[in-house]
Amino acid sequence: MKRTKRGDEEQEGVGGGGGGGGGGGSPDPGPSEQRKRLRGEDSEDDAQPNQTKDQDVDAEGDERVPNWGHLPQEILLQIFQYLPLLDRAYASQVCRSWNQAFHMPELWRCFEFELNQPASSYLKATHPDLIKQIIKRHSNHLQYVSFKVDSSTESAEAACDILSQLVNCSLKTLGLISTARPSFMELPKSHFISALTVVFVNSKSLSSLKIDDTPVDDPSLKVLVANNSDTLKLLKMSSCPHVSPAGILCVADQCHGLRELALNYHLLSDELLLALSSEKHVHLEHLRIDVVSENPGQQFHTIKKSSWDAMVRHSPKFNLVMYFFLYEDEFEPFFREEIPVTHLYFGRSVSKDVLGRVGLHCPRLVELVVCANGLRPLDEELIRIAERCKHLTAIGLGECEVSCSAFVEFVKMCGRRLSQLSIMEEVLVPDHKYELDEIHWEVSKHLGRVWFPDMMPTW
Amino acid sequence: MVVNSVHWFRKGLRLHDNPALQEALDGADTVRCVYVLDPWFAGSANVGFNRWRFLLESLEDLDNSLRRLNSRLFVVRGQPTDVFPRLFKEWNVTRLTFEYDSEPYGKERDSAIIKMARNFGVETRVRNSHTLYKLERIIELNNNSPPLSFKRFQALIQRLELPKRPLQTVTVEQMDSCPTPVAANHDELYSVPSLEELGFKTTDQGQAVWKGGETEALQRLHRHVSKEWVGNYWKPHINVCTLMASPSGLSPYLRFGCLSCRTLYYRLRELYMKAYQHTPPPLTLFTQLLWREFFYTAATHNPAFDRMTGNPICMQIPWDKNPEALAKWAEGRTGFPWIDAIMTQLRQEGWIHHLARHAVACFLTRGDLWISWESGMKVFEEMLLDADWSVNAGSWMWLSCSSFFQQFFHCYCPVGFARRIDPSGHYIRKYIPKLKDYPDRYIHEPWKAPESVQRGCNCVVGVDYPMPMVNHAETSRLNIERMKQVYQQFSHYKGLSLLEVVPVIREQTESSVPKSSMSHPSCNDGMVSSLCLSLSHRKRERPIDLHCSQGCSQPKMQCVGLDRDSNRPLQQ
């Protein structure tokens, strides 16, 4: 009996105090639906919470038992921070004080908009009512915002729509993330740019910006620089075809606090490296370069060794991460001279010759992934890499071939510093010294831990 | 008391090593072998022509074998829940036997039938024979949760005794002691239906590459007795020949139970020991059988095993929905000859090599099209003869990097991979005759051939054969990033690891210490959350490999250390 009564009270409580928070605060259809669910949860939960509730009712007037409605806001805030949004929305309907807590600015600093269409995604989207609510009540609280957008143009449009309404806020972090296909690229460029520049102009203290695979262009970067040059620390813009080397150079020239940068190789220039290693500039931490061939047979420019040297002098600890997605015949200009690369990923087939050059010219190499190679074993190349790349700690080999004894030798030379060793089983070719069954034992010995090659199901 | 038995065939379409059938015969006065089939369902079910043909051939073969034992097979039209009450009454049934089905859907169906039988006073006897082991034993041994890595699974298997020996085949003497009452109108009522009866057009279908049935399965098994065959079964050398349907291939027969997995197990063992001076075989000899067992074990308690949403062991990956691209893939119109040839072989013959499966699965999901593995799984379910619910779903999750912990830095290249296996394009020419005149150099990427060559070969790309539907270099770059996004959410790893790994679940490390059998609650439900937890303190390490004790070891090491310690006569 008591329980039903309690339920009714709750319902009244929401009606009175819920206000705007009730309906719009959660991505679910309507308040009545939620109330039902809230009560449903009550009765379904195991004994513990029910008991507390009942005690709560019994104890009205008994001061020893805390009244949950009187929890100090700081404590509520602490608790709410651990709850997912949906649970916070449910909790917000318990009483006035919890509802107020629901709207505390601290809980709205960070938000991830998920924009998916049922026709193109399996995942749930942020409910439009919630989006409206956030823009109305919390846009000035937002600081760390990301948009996850599925493959549909509508979703990318919706993201731009939201962006262009973020006029009151001062974002620190903005990430535009295409989860399936680069759907921002399908938008009219002007539409995208005008939405993005709203944030650039209004925020003034952006420190991290991730805009890979978008139609951002040089003029919009100028706007970024004009408003955020003192604060910008991280800029990720891989595969932004409308940016030119001059556009990125302008960013590097003005934003002296830039520590992380990701871009495609065609934007990389000697000038850019020199700008990043100028005295005014802070030490760079990460530089990620994607080397992608846009059209077969493309000629790639080279970067002078002196420019790389300047970088290393200025930022001795910086990571240079390079992802290569090239055809074998396009590697000609690469690894001819020493390059301070630390992380190397070869996404397509790469020749023995190139890997041989890697061994000669990459003394700072830490991680190496070779997804595919021709039909000849990589024995000497690996051994040379073990010999010359003294910092190598991780290696992954996909469709390659290495003889078992060369592989064991490689592991022996690198020893325990190899913390990550992902080798597909098919890579290892048995020879006179080792059978496949024996190799994991031998390798484990040198690594000082149990190791196995990666297996794929035979089915 | 009179015992009238009915043995219900579902999988396990064989007379050899059939413990449930033996139970039916045990002390019975009459026995009837039944297969329940709903012809109305046939057209709509997600099972294609080749699979139906294989099934009907297997039933035909079973009926023939039973005839030789003076019995018959009763193919009863309808749904089990409608059929059995009628049969129980009509035949005065007192005992129902069938093979244990470990899959969630099958378990549900069977428990309904068992309940129904009880109401009719019919005793049911259920026996395990579709898998080598009782899956529950493996799960129990792993602290009541299914192992989620193959290494872990192998380690558990090491701790088990050998699988049960296969039973003898049913003999005419046995059958004579419990005759089958066969009515004059048997053929009218209970014959094996034809494909036409099920609504399939048989005119434009070619000869079956895989002939269904126990007889064929046993012939295949006994055809190969050489050391080479054992060696090759064990460590297959991949070349273009392995891509073609092999006369010794067995997987469809295992799927339908025309061949007992235990019979195969002991056959391999026997041949190995004969070839290698009575040395007991290493576990790796049985890898293929164990993979199958692994996926059955992983699926048995998970009704959502074939889905992403609601499946506790499956990563939620933001796959794209793209029906048009899916259709191109399924119909072999991707413009990549290697992918199209594989899909054509699958459609025509119902079987493709496991590396070919890897190639097309990777292409559809994480490699190129970024389409959900569920869609691919459904296409395989329709066309692949050996697609079993658990194994099919499990393999797709694996290959799309949705579960089971493997690194995902590497995608199969639809050109390079093909070139390695089939440098002269023999396989492609066979399945895509349009391209047969292309020179070797261009056969894997015909769009690169100069126009004069294309015309000379009578196949112009873009006109006679599609242009490649994606730029592989570009999409694989995007998809590697997408994958990292998915997993970085869990790892909170801000660094640069190129070798991102599908993360490990905590139970793996905990349970790798054998017999810490403090009753762990079933981890099934909390898996994703424990996954997050475990990641917060172990960021980017390799899963079990780094941390497992000698519990996870492969055969070789096993012989050296663990096995002697544990004093268990694994190797007789």
Side-chain angles (χ1 to χ4, degrees):
Chain A
M1 282 296 103
K2 246 178 213 167
R3 280 195 49 80
T4 350
K5 201 177 158 208
R6 178 70 187 172
D8 289 341
E9 278 170 19
E10 268 174 19
Q11 224 163 344
E12 279 167 25
V14 175
S26 99
D28 251 23
S32 64
E33 182 66 36
Q34 283 175 5
R35 269 178 234 132
K36 257 185 248 161
R37 211 181 287 179
L38 196 64
R39 275 187 290 161
E41 274 192 357
D42 270 358
S43 51
E44 270 163 30
D45 267 355
D46 35 352
Q48 199 65 36
N50 284 346
Q51 223 176 351
T52 349
K53 292 265 178 207
D54 285 345
Q55 275 176 6
D56 195 353
V57 175
D58 289 338
E60 269 160 38
D62 183 347
E63 278 164 24
R64 278 171 306 169
V65 182
N67 181 332
W68 292 99
H70 293 165
L71 267 184
Q73 295 274 305
E74 315 85 84
I75 294 182
L76 262 181
L77 178 65
Q78 286 282 327
I79 297 170
F80 272 35
Q81 272 168 346
Y82 286 99
L83 295 178
L85 179 62
L86 195 63
D87 291 346
R88 294 207 306 261
Y90 289 145
S92 77
Q93 296 168 59
V94 169
C95 63
R96 202 181 294 262
S97 144
W98 287 24
N99 189 268
Q100 277 164 7
F102 178 79
H103 290 290
M104 280 195 279
E106 290 85 345
L107 295 171
W108 297 97
R109 293 222 167 110
C110 191
F111 197 82
E112 186 175 275
F113 292 94
E114 290 178 76
L115 303 169
N116 301 315
Q117 311 297 321
S120 47
S121 175
Y122 296 85
L123 302 184
K124 287 218 176 79
T126 311
H127 196 274
D129 288 346
L130 176 62
I131 295 176
K132 272 188 213 144
Q133 177 86 8
I134 289 177
I135 292 173
K136 205 171 107 200
R137 290 188 69 165
H138 297 294
S139 64
N140 53 334
H141 305 147
L142 292 173
Q143 292 182 348
Y144 310 94
V145 174
S146 60
F147 292 85
K148 284 198 167 168
V149 171
D150 71 1
S151 64
S152 72
T153 319
E154 289 104 298
S155 301
E157 252 161 28
C160 287
D161 235 42
I162 299 170
L163 278 177
S164 51
Q165 293 179 68
L166 298 181
V167 278
N168 295 328
C169 57
S170 183
L171 296 188
K172 292 193 167 135
T173 295
L174 174 66
L176 304 183
I177 298 163
S178 319
T179 58
R181 274 182 290 165
S183 42
F184 286 106
M185 290 305 293
E186 282 156 34
L187 295 178
K189 193 177 115 189
S190 56
H191 183 48
F192 174 81
I193 299 291
S194 65
L196 189 64
T197 40
V198 166
V199 176
F200 289 172
V201 169
N202 289 292
S203 283
K204 308 253 190 244
S205 56
L206 263 176
S207 93
S208 299
L209 185 63
K210 181 172 159 53
I211 43 172
D212 302 314
D213 298 298
T214 60
V216 63
D217 61 1
D218 287 357
S220 46
L221 286 183
K222 280 217 171 92
V223 179
L224 169 73
V225 170
N227 293 282
N228 302 276
S229 64
D230 294 342
T231 49
L232 194 69
K233 291 189 177 125
L234 176 149
L235 177 61
K236 293 195 169 175
M237 36 173 286
S238 300
S239 293
C240 294
H242 300 297
V243 176
S244 76
I248 188 66
L249 187 59
C250 156
V251 176
D253 270 337
Q254 313 278 322
C255 303
H256 297 141
L258 198 64
R259 289 182 199 154
E260 288 191 42
L261 182 61
L263 40 72
N264 282 30
Y265 189 75
H266 75 92
L267 296 184
L268 190 69
S269 61
D270 293 304
E271 293 78 13
L272 180 71
L273 293 179
L274 295 176
L276 290 170
S277 40
S278 83
E279 255 174 56
K280 286 173 286 184
H281 211 286
V282 300
H283 299 309
L284 197 72
E285 285 167 17
H286 300 310
L287 178 60
R288 167 170 169 165
I289 314 284
D290 282 24
V291 193
V292 187
S293 68
E294 273 93 31
N295 37 34
Q298 189 179 345
Q299 288 296 310
F300 288 90
H301 62 285
T302 47
I303 297 292
K304 289 194 194 103
K305 182 171 179 299
S306 57
S307 314
W308 286 124
D309 289 347
M311 273 297 299
V312 178
R313 271 197 308 276
H314 181 70
S315 311
K317 287 187 191 154
F318 93 110
N319 288 310
L320 176 59
V321 186
M322 297 184 86
Y323 278 67
F324 283 88
F325 296 91
L326 297 184
Y327 292 98
E328 279 195 24
D329 50 1
E330 293 169 324
F331 278 101
E332 191 43 39
F334 297 100
F335 307 107
R336 291 283 166 196
E337 288 181 293
E338 196 171 298
I339 175 168
V341 64
T342 53
H343 296 69
L344 252 180
Y345 179 98
F346 292 106
R348 306 200 66 172
S349 188
V350 55
S351 68
K352 267 169 81 79
D353 183 40
V354 172
L355 288 170
R357 299 202 309 253
V358 166
L360 285 178
H361 298 305
C362 306
R364 297 174 85 230
L365 195 63
V366 177
E367 293 192 17
L368 172 67
V369 174
V370 182
C371 289
N373 169 254
L375 291 166
R376 288 182 303 148
L378 289 177
D379 296 6
E380 311 88 59
E381 290 74 14
L382 273 190
I383 304 243
R384 184 190 283 169
I385 286 169
E387 219 168 62
R388 301 278 198 111
C389 308
K390 297 285 183 202
H391 305 283
L392 190 76
T393 58
I395 186 162
L397 300 176
E399 292 159 46
C400 312
E401 284 188 7
V402 186
S403 76
C404 282
S405 27
F407 181 68
V408 169
E409 184 60 24
F410 167 81
V411 176
K412 195 172 152 190
M413 289 169 76
C414 295
R416 300 190 178 206
R417 71 180 148 99
L418 277 184
S419 60
Q420 194 104 322
L421 187 57
S422 284
I423 312 294
M424 305 269 282
E425 199 178 31
E426 299 93 274
V427 168
L428 302 168
V429 184
D431 54 17
H432 60 283
K433 268 179 97 178
Y434 300 102
E435 274 296 309
L436 257 184
D437 285 348
E438 295 159 328
I439 194 161
H440 90 93
W441 178 241
E442 201 57 31
V443 171
S444 302
K445 209 171 69 189
H446 296 304
L447 288 178
R449 61 174 193 269
V450 181
W451 178 87
F452 288 101
D454 291 333
M455 287 172 89
M456 292 296 260
T458 44
W459 151 68
Chain B
M1 210 188 101
V2 178
V3 176
N4 294 320
S5 290
V6 163
H7 176 73
W8 179 19
F9 278 108
R10 300 95 60 90
K11 292 169 190 169
L13 301 176
R14 61 173 184 264
L15 300 182
H16 73 277
D17 188 31
N18 194 331
L21 177 58
Q22 295 286 351
E23 287 295 326
L25 304 176
D26 178 35
D29 297 284
T30 69
V31 69
R32 289 179 178 88
C33 292
V34 164
Y35 189 90
V36 183
L37 184 153
D38 193 338
W40 296 106
F41 196 55
S44 63
N46 193 18
V47 173
F49 179 85
N50 277 317
R51 292 193 69 185
W52 274 107
R53 175 160 66 183
F54 192 92
L55 172 67
L56 297 184
E57 282 170 355
S58 303
L59 294 178
E60 207 55 81
D61 182 62
L62 203 54
D63 190 31
N64 287 335
S65 304
L66 284 167
R67 267 183 224 234
R68 280 195 288 277
L69 304 176
N70 305 318
S71 176
R72 289 297 298 272
L73 178 70
F74 296 71
V75 179
V76 188
R77 275 75 168 164
Q79 289 288 330
T81 41
D82 305 328
V83 161
F84 279 113
R86 182 163 58 80
L87 296 184
F88 289 158
K89 274 188 267 179
E90 199 178 313
W91 293 341
N92 196 19
V93 178
T94 59
R95 185 190 296 162
L96 174 68
T97 63
F98 51 84
E99 181 182 56
Y100 176 71
D101 187 342
S102 70
E103 301 186 330
Y105 157 78
K107 284 198 288 189
E108 203 180 306
R109 176 200 57 207
D110 291 350
S111 70
I113 296 293
I114 290 171
K115 209 169 139 197
M116 185 180 281
R118 197 182 303 132
N119 292 341
F120 280 86
V122 176
E123 173 203 12
T124 44
R125 294 190 187 177
V126 185
R127 292 294 177 271
N128 186 70
S129 53
H130 194 63
T131 50
L132 292 171
Y133 294 95
K134 279 195 174 153
L135 306 180
E136 295 302 332
R137 273 218 56 205
I138 300 170
I139 292 169
E140 202 183 293
L141 209 61
N142 195 43
N143 299 325
N144 298 318
S145 70
L148 288 173
S149 81
F150 188 61
K151 280 281 167 304
R152 174 85 194 129
F153 180 81
Q154 285 176 310
L156 294 168
I157 293 294
Q158 300 275 19
R159 290 161 58 193
L160 291 171
E161 64 287 2
L162 294 184
K164 279 195 181 155
R165 288 204 166 263
L167 301 178
Q168 284 306 305
T169 191
V170 175
T171 61
V172 77
E173 290 77 28
Q174 274 182 298
M175 281 312 271
D176 282 346
S177 71
C178 45
T180 306
V182 178
N185 61 352
H186 182 93
D187 282 332
E188 203 178 297
L189 292 174
Y190 299 121
S191 66
V192 177
S194 65
L195 282 158
E196 287 82 0
E197 193 186 324
L198 298 179
F200 288 102
K201 269 194 259 166
T202 49
T203 40
D204 12 311
Q205 300 287 347
Q207 193 68 31
V209 175
W210 300 83
K211 186 176 171 5
E214 180 183 13
T215 311
E216 173 72 18
L218 293 175
Q219 272 171 11
R220 282 169 176 257
L221 182 67
H222 291 109
R223 193 174 292 154
H224 298 275
V225 291
S226 63
K227 184 173 174 172
E228 286 73 43
W229 182 69
V230 178
N232 203 39
Y233 188 89
W234 183 15
K235 294 170 190 164
H237 290 283
I238 310 299
N239 59 41
V240 60
C241 296
T242 33
L243 295 174
M244 311 293 185
S246 147
S248 57
L250 295 170
S251 63
Y253 302 93
L254 287 169
R255 154 65 180 81
F256 285 91
C258 299
L259 176 65
S260 151
C261 56
R262 303 189 295 203
T263 304
L264 173 57
Y265 182 97
Y266 279 96
R267 176 78 181 158
L268 281 170
R269 189 178 150 84
E270 180 196 325
L271 288 175
Y272 182 94
M273 288 175 67
K274 210 151 110 194
Y276 295 90
Q277 288 87 38
H278 303 286
T279 330
L283 202 60
T284 42
L285 178 62
F286 308 108
T287 301
Q288 291 193 33
L289 279 172
L290 292 179
W291 273 110
R292 177 177 173 272
E293 199 90 352
F294 170 67
F295 287 127
Y296 283 120
T297 313
T300 182
H301 291 318
N302 183 354
F305 194 70
D306 64 343
R307 297 189 282 281
M308 178 172 80
T309 18
N311 181 351
I313 66 159
C314 183
M315 286 302 290
Q316 307 297 300
I317 296 176
W319 304 115
D320 196 11
K321 282 188 192 167
N322 187 341
E324 206 181 308
L326 175 64
K328 281 187 182 170
W329 173 82
E331 291 159 18
R333 295 186 284 115
T334 65
F336 290 96
W338 166 239
I339 302 296
D340 294 343
I342 295 171
M343 294 308 286
T344 307
Q345 184 189 21
L346 174 61
R347 189 170 292 275
Q348 286 174 3
E349 301 178 8
W351 179 89
I352 47 177
H353 188 265
H354 73 259
L355 281 179
R357 299 174 197 208
H358 295 185
V360 293
C362 185
F363 185 84
L364 181 74
T365 59
R366 66 195 177 89
D368 292 275
L369 302 185
W370 199 253
I371 288 175
S372 169
W373 59 270
E374 288 177 57
S375 314
M377 178 194 71
K378 284 175 192 153
V379 171
F380 271 30
E381 194 172 284
E382 181 194 332
M383 302 201 288
L384 189 66
L385 290 172
D386 60 39
D388 225 349
W389 187 83
S390 311
V391 183
N392 192 22
S395 306
W396 272 96
M397 267 191 272
W398 182 293
L399 296 172
S400 63
C401 286
S402 295
S403 192
F404 306 119
F405 331 113
Q406 74 270 233
Q407 49 71 18
F408 53 81
F409 66 80
H410 158 253
C411 295
Y412 289 103
C413 170
V415 174
F417 186 43
R419 205 169 260 156
R420 281 170 66 88
I421 296 183
D422 178 24
S424 61
H426 181 63
Y427 177 74
I428 291 171
R429 291 173 218 277
K430 175 169 180 191
Y431 291 100
I432 312 178
K434 265 189 256 178
L435 295 172
K436 69 180 184 337
D437 294 330
Y438 265 71
D440 292 4
R441 192 174 156 204
Y442 297 116
I443 185 81
H444 302 97
E445 34 190 355
W447 64 91
K448 282 198 176 168
E451 212 180 307
S452 58
V453 174
Q454 298 191 15
R455 288 192 195 288
C457 302
N458 289 317
C459 178
V460 176
V461 176
V463 180
D464 306 301
Y465 181 75
M467 287 291 283
M469 65 186 292
V470 291
N471 174 348
H472 174 74
E474 179 58 18
T475 51
S476 58
R477 180 193 71 83
L478 281 168
N479 292 342
I480 284 278
E481 286 306 302
R482 311 265 173 276
M483 240 20 210
K484 288 174 75 167
Q485 262 166 37
V486 171
Y487 284 101
Q488 272 174 1
Q489 257 173 272
F490 285 91
S491 66
H492 308 290
Y493 177 68
K494 300 278 184 285
L496 297 160
S497 177
L498 313 177
L499 290 158
E500 231 91 25
V501 160
V502 177
V504 68
I505 284 169
R506 176 183 288 193
E507 51 122 38
Q508 295 288 325
T509 36
E510 280 179 1
S511 50
S512 65
V513 183
K515 287 182 189 144
S516 62
S517 58
M518 292 302 291
S519 55
H520 277 266
S522 166
C523 288
N524 240 349
D525 293 325
M527 225 161 251
V528 170
S529 58
S530 64
L531 181 138
C532 303
L533 275 175
S534 67
L535 278 165
S536 55
H537 58 91
R538 302 189 30 222
K539 276 165 192 159
R540 38 161 290 213
E541 288 143 328
R542 287 279 299 142
I544 29 155
D545 301 5
L546 303 188
H547 295 268
C548 64
S549 64
Q550 67 270 62
C552 315
S553 51
Q554 261 196 337
K556 178 72 185 177
M557 209 161 112
Q558 218 254 336
C559 301
V560 177
L562 179 79
D563 210 31
R564 274 180 211 156
D565 294 346
S566 65
N567 236 347
R568 197 173 38 74
L570 177 88
Q571 290 154 347
Q572 303 157 347

